[in-house]
Each structure stands twice: as structure tokens, then as C-alpha cells.
Amino acid sequence: MELRDLLFMFFGGLGIFLFGIKYMGDGLQKVAGDKLRDVLDKFTSNPVMGVIAGIVVTILLQTSTGTTVLAIGLVNAGFMTLRQSIGVIMGANIGTTVTAFIIGLKVSDYALPVIAVGTFLIFFLKNKKANNYGQVFFGFGALFYGLELMGDGMKPLREMEAFTDLTVSMSQNPLLGVLIGTIFTVAVQSSSAAIGLLQQLFAQGAMDLSAALPVLFGDNIGTTITAVLAAIGASIAAKRAALTHVIFNVIGTILVLIIIRPYIAMISFLQDSLVLNPEMTIAVAHGIFNFSNVLIQLPFIGVLALIVTKLIPGDETVIEYKAQHLDPVLISQSSSIALGQAKKETLRMAELSRQGLTEASQFVETKIKRHAELSYQFEDAINNLDRKITDYLVKISTNSLTANDSRLHSMLMDTVRDIERVGDHMENIVELAEFQVANKVKMSELAKEDLREMFSLTIDTLDEAIKALENEDVDAARSVILKEEQIDKMERQLRKKHILRLNDGSCQGSAGIVFVDMISNLERVGDHSVNIAEAILEEE
């Protein structure tokens, strides 16, 4: 076979393999719904549970990096501490070995029929759930088909003298194997692909066990680089979690290199005694390495957290998603006190909406990505509190309420809905600004100044509405209504100014669409602020 054909088979197979893993992971995620985040949120109360949660989520996502990123998001959100996230990252390292075990089952002969089943479920059935399962089947089949193509493309390697010499060098110098494994995993951005390739080489006799295992340990270090790259420019929590992943895998590799000869002998013994095929031998070596690494380092999670905190100092912006005042015991004891607690939580939700709107204005002004990320996190927190507070209020309504309590209950239900809508408009504004960045849409300086002015007035109005709600301040509520009239007037004036700018050519049409949509969203925030204020006036 010509070199060109071999290269085509190898790189084409690698592409199909990577696509298969990604597509299967996306399908599994859709089948699981939004439960992955809930699993990490609920089952990370202690490090052991964190490890189990990390294993489960990684098996479903088919990527340890994806699990690490999810854990980072929950640390940012205040759902999870850094120590809990370390447990999840450790579990992700065990979960990622499942792909190697699947490859070890050698079901590649059935790759094409599995792809055919997946295709049928995707294209011939209109059921959404069936389509999701089809995606899983298609990805699963593509994974094996790509792996087989890669293997066929590498067969001539074992006959090449240069490659034979390299494997001998790796056998004699394990550090060289670790380096090669790390570089290749960084290059393909997938430890599963790197280990799948290693399994193929070992199965074809292109390298022996003493050369293959150091490469395997290098693959484990290489997979952490993806998380490091993802953490560049991200929050302090993201950087700490990524560094934890690196330290964890590097320590594990150092420990196993110290006992490399006995470890190779043990894996060789297991291969012979359990009659393992070459692919499964690598999978077992991978599984034992990661499982042992977790067992050894699990008791030292606190030390790991301390090390990364010292290496990456600084205070992180933590948005507390969880409700802080909604005690379910109070519902049966006293409806009045329970309503008071619901009001406290509603005020906290309102404050998050104000902070989120401020971050949105900062993103529109500076286009710094961190402001957009924080806005989205505030929006997630608002949505979470919306559900929690509404559920709490519904439970309170099953009690008999006094006339005053009934009015307060109704007001809080309406207010929570208004605050949630403020969060939606805040998200819309950030998305418009992201569209502006992605499409290189430039606004005129006059338009930017107009937006600053309207943002300032809208945030002041929302702030006044929150004060009115907190103190039941009628004067503040009336002030909100007056300010909202100014917002309405300003929106009309800015629309007219925008048309004039379009006519004289000082503003692009695409910039005008973004500008008009932004001021429209700000005007709607003003309307919801008025709704909150009017509820106070009605209560009075």
C-alpha cells in the first residue's frame, strides 16, 4: 500500500474516532438530560461521593475534560468547594478508562452494523428520544470504525527500523515513553484517542509492554493539558481545578515510574493468567493505574487544595446559587415567618439580577469575556432561585393564610417572576454583545454613549425597586415609576437618534439592529422594575 493511502487511513481513522467519541458523548448527555449537573451538585457531599459522581458523569460524557469543566462551573457557582471538585476530577480519571475497556472488548467487527442502526434511529424515526439513542449508537460505531482504520494505517510501522529503535529506547528509558505519550495526547486533544492508538500498536506487536506502559502514563498527563488550555484566561477557580488535575496525574506517574519494573511484571502476569487480549491488557493497566492513583491520593485532597491555593493565590468571585433562607420546617410551624424568609430570598434574587445587569453593561462596554461569563452565572443563579422560591411559596399556600399574608404571598409570586424576566433580558443583552464581537459589528461613539446612559438609568431604577421591596418604601416605589417613564422616553429618543445616524451614514445597519435590541431589552427591565414597585404600592 502506498504511503499516501496509509496516511489517509490513519488521519481519516483518527478523525472518525474523535468524531465518534464526541458524538456518542453528546448523545449520552441528551439521553441523560440536565441530570449530569444535578449528579455533581447532589452527590459531592464528601470526597468519596465526589469520586463516584466523577466516574458516572465521565462515562456519560465520554470525556474527563468535560467533567472537569462541569466541576469548575459548579465551583464558580458556589455549588461545590474546591476540595469537592478534586474528588470529581479524581473520579473523572477513573471514568475515562471505560473507553479503553470498551475498545478491549473488540467489537470492531460490528462497527458498520452499529452505525447503520444509529443512522436508522436518527433519520427514520421522528421521536426525539429515539434520535438521541441513535446518536449514541452512531457515535459508538464510528469510534470502532475509526479505530480499525487507524490500526490498518499503522500496520507497516512494526517493519520500520526507526520505529523499532524508538520502542527499544522507550523500553530502556521510560521517561522517553512518558514524553511521547504526553506530546501525542496534547496533539490530538484526547487521551481516549491516544490510548486507543496505543492499544492498536500493542495488538499489532509494534511495541512490547515495557515500551507501551510509559506511553500510557504520558497519555494521562497529556489529557490534563486540555483542561489547562481551557483555563487560560478563565477564573481563579478554573485555574486551580486545572492545576489540581495536572498535579494529580504527574504525582501518579512519578509513583508508578518508581516501581515500573514490578508494575510491568504484574500486568504481564495478569495478561497470561486471565488470557487477556492485547487491547484489554492496556485497558487493565490503565484502569489499575488510575484506580490506585485515586486510592493513594484521596486522603490528601486537603493538601492538594492547599497547594493549588498557594500556587494560584487570589479571591474568586463566587455566586451563591443555593437558597439560603428557605427552611421547609418553618412552613408547618408559621406561615408568616416562612413568608418572611421567602421575602429575604427574593431580595437576594433581586440583588443577583442587579449585579448581573451591571456585569452585562460592563461586557457591552469592554467586551471582556469574564463579564459575559459572570452574567450567565448570575442568570443561572436567578433561574435556580426562581424555581426554589416558587416551590417554597406553593407549599406555603397549602396553609390557611391571613389577609395580609395572602397579599404578601401573591406579591412575592409576582415579584419572583418579574426578577426572573430581568435575568432573561440581561442574558439577551449579553448575547447581542457576543453577536457584535463575533461579527465585528462596530458601533459609533454616540451610540455607545447613549447605551451607557440608558444602562445607568435602568440599573438605578432596578436598584430603587429593590430598595422599595426591601423596606416597603412607598416613596422609593413612586420614584421607580417616575424613572421608568424617563426610560420609556429615552428609548423613543434613542430610536429617533439611531434613525438619524443611519440616514447620515455614521452608523452601520447591523450595528443599528444590535443597538435597538439592546435598548428594547433595557426598556423591558424598566417595565419589570415598575411591576415590583407597583406591587409595593398595592400592598400599601
Side-chain angles (χ1 to χ4, degrees):
M1 200 179 291
E2 289 184 18
L3 177 63
R4 186 196 66 176
D5 295 333
L6 293 173
L7 289 173
F8 282 2
M9 287 174 74
F10 173 72
F11 287 109
L14 178 62
I16 293 169
F17 179 88
L18 291 171
F19 172 78
I21 281 193
K22 174 81 169 62
Y23 203 60
M24 182 169 72
D26 289 347
L28 284 166
Q29 196 170 355
K30 286 175 187 173
V31 169
D34 296 325
K35 292 173 186 173
L36 295 178
R37 191 181 179 122
D38 291 340
V39 167
L40 289 182
D41 175 26
K42 290 174 184 173
F43 302 106
T44 53
S45 52
N46 61 62
V48 175
M49 290 302 292
V51 169
I52 294 167
I55 293 170
V56 171
V57 173
T58 305
I59 290 170
L60 289 174
L61 284 178
Q62 284 297 299
T63 162
S64 56
T65 305
T67 306
T68 305
V69 170
L70 262 180
I72 287 165
L74 289 168
V75 172
N76 266 342
F79 264 128
M80 192 189 289
T81 63
L82 178 65
R83 290 181 64 160
Q84 287 172 321
S85 75
I86 295 172
V88 172
I89 289 165
M90 288 179 173
N93 269 42
I94 295 175
T96 198
T97 64
V98 171
T99 309
F101 278 103
I102 292 170
I103 292 167
L105 293 173
K106 283 187 75 69
V107 293
S108 52
D109 293 346
Y110 305 99
L112 291 174
V114 171
I115 289 173
V117 170
T119 305
F120 176 81
L121 291 172
I122 292 168
F123 288 101
F124 296 99
L125 295 179
K126 300 299 178 189
N127 184 290
K128 188 88 174 170
K129 198 170 183 181
N131 294 161
N132 293 339
Y133 279 108
Q135 191 170 336
V136 174
F137 276 102
F138 188 93
F140 188 72
L143 183 157
F144 281 101
Y145 184 62
L147 195 63
E148 195 171 10
L149 284 176
M150 266 201 299
D152 290 341
M154 289 185 305
K155 274 179 183 172
L157 277 179
R158 61 185 168 187
E159 294 162 13
M160 288 175 61
E161 192 178 338
F163 186 77
T164 308
D165 292 343
L166 181 63
T167 57
V168 170
S169 299
M170 286 190 287
S171 300
Q172 294 169 349
N173 183 3
L175 284 174
L176 178 62
V178 171
L179 181 64
I180 289 169
T182 303
I183 291 169
F184 186 75
T185 307
V186 170
V188 297
Q189 292 285 294
S190 168
S191 61
S192 295
I195 292 164
L197 177 65
L198 184 66
Q199 286 172 298
Q200 291 293 304
L201 286 169
F202 184 59
Q204 290 168 10
M207 57 170 60
D208 60 14
L209 203 58
S210 58
L213 291 189
V215 176
L216 178 68
F217 307 141
D219 292 339
N220 270 276
I221 294 174
T223 192
T224 65
I225 306 301
T226 312
V228 170
L229 293 173
I232 292 171
S235 64
I236 291 170
K239 288 172 182 170
R240 284 173 179 166
L243 183 59
T244 302
H245 200 187
V246 175
I247 291 172
F248 172 73
N249 279 12
V250 169
I251 289 172
T253 300
I254 291 168
L255 292 174
V256 80
L257 285 177
I258 292 168
I259 55 161
I260 185 72
R261 296 302 164 196
Y263 190 77
I264 291 169
M266 181 187 74
I267 298 301
S268 183
F269 170 76
L270 288 174
Q271 182 182 14
D272 295 337
S273 58
L274 299 175
V275 197
L276 300 174
N277 64 45
E279 291 92 343
M280 190 58 82
T281 302
I282 296 296
V284 167
H286 190 212
I288 291 173
F289 167 71
N290 278 308
F291 190 74
S292 303
N293 195 16
V294 169
L295 283 181
I296 291 165
Q297 296 195 53
L298 191 59
F300 302 103
I301 277 182
V303 178
L304 269 173
L306 184 65
I307 290 169
V308 293
T309 305
K310 292 288 183 187
L311 289 173
I312 304 176
D315 295 322
E316 183 52 76
T317 304
V318 175
I319 301 163
E320 185 59 68
Y321 277 48
K322 291 183 178 177
Q324 295 177 352
H325 305 101
L326 307 181
D327 187 348
V329 176
L330 293 173
I331 296 171
S332 56
Q333 291 180 348
S334 168
S335 297
S336 293
I337 295 174
L339 279 168
Q341 294 302 103
K343 183 180 176 182
K344 281 184 184 178
E345 203 61 55
T346 304
L347 283 165
R348 204 170 73 78
M349 182 183 172
E351 180 56 29
L352 290 177
S353 72
R354 189 191 65 75
Q355 291 175 16
L357 190 60
T358 304
E359 290 296 335
S361 73
Q362 290 292 312
F363 181 58
V364 170
E365 179 73 26
T366 64
K367 302 299 185 292
I368 294 171
K369 194 178 175 185
R370 182 65 185 141
H371 293 302
E373 288 172 355
L374 282 171
S375 291
Y376 285 130
Q377 287 170 20
F378 278 118
E379 162 66 353
D380 281 348
I382 290 163
N383 287 340
N384 183 61
L385 289 179
D386 171 40
R387 290 191 296 272
K388 300 291 184 189
I389 297 169
T390 302
D391 289 347
Y392 194 75
L393 289 169
V394 167
K395 287 173 185 172
I396 292 173
S397 67
T398 58
N399 297 343
S400 74
L401 303 174
T402 63
N404 282 337
D405 283 348
S406 185
R407 279 197 298 274
L408 177 58
H409 181 276
S410 179
M411 183 194 79
L412 289 175
M413 286 289 276
D414 292 338
T415 300
V416 166
R417 189 166 59 247
D418 279 305
I419 296 167
E420 193 276 328
R421 293 295 294 137
V422 168
D424 290 344
H425 291 299
M426 167 186 90
E427 186 178 32
N428 292 345
I429 291 167
V430 173
E431 286 171 354
L432 286 164
E434 285 179 332
F435 171 85
Q436 189 187 345
V437 172
N439 293 278
K440 297 183 172 62
V441 175
K442 290 185 179 178
M443 273 190 197
S444 66
E445 286 303 317
L446 287 170
K448 288 178 186 175
E449 187 55 46
D450 288 342
L451 268 176
R452 280 187 214 110
E453 197 178 338
M454 191 160 181
F455 260 116
S456 177
L457 181 58
T458 306
I459 292 168
D460 283 348
T461 305
L462 181 60
D463 209 20
E464 199 82 29
I466 294 168
K467 286 177 186 171
L469 175 65
E470 184 174 10
N471 305 316
E472 295 179 19
D473 188 333
V474 176
D475 290 336
R478 289 190 180 120
S479 172
V480 170
I481 291 168
L482 292 173
K483 282 184 176 178
E484 199 276 332
E485 287 172 3
Q486 284 180 264
I487 291 173
D488 286 349
K489 187 178 177 183
M490 185 181 285
E491 192 213 9
R492 289 193 295 272
Q493 287 173 343
L494 295 187
R495 280 178 186 271
K496 286 176 184 174
K497 286 169 76 174
H498 158 64
I499 292 165
L500 291 172
R501 283 196 296 271
L502 275 178
N503 289 338
D504 65 21
S506 61
C507 187
Q508 298 175 346
S510 53
I513 293 166
V514 172
F515 177 80
V516 168
D517 281 354
M518 280 187 181
I519 62 172
S520 177
N521 275 285
L522 288 171
E523 189 273 331
R524 294 296 297 140
V525 171
D527 290 345
H528 291 295
S529 301
V530 163
N531 291 345
I532 296 168
E534 284 179 342
I536 302 297
L537 293 173
E538 285 171 17
E539 179 75 7
E540 183 65 21

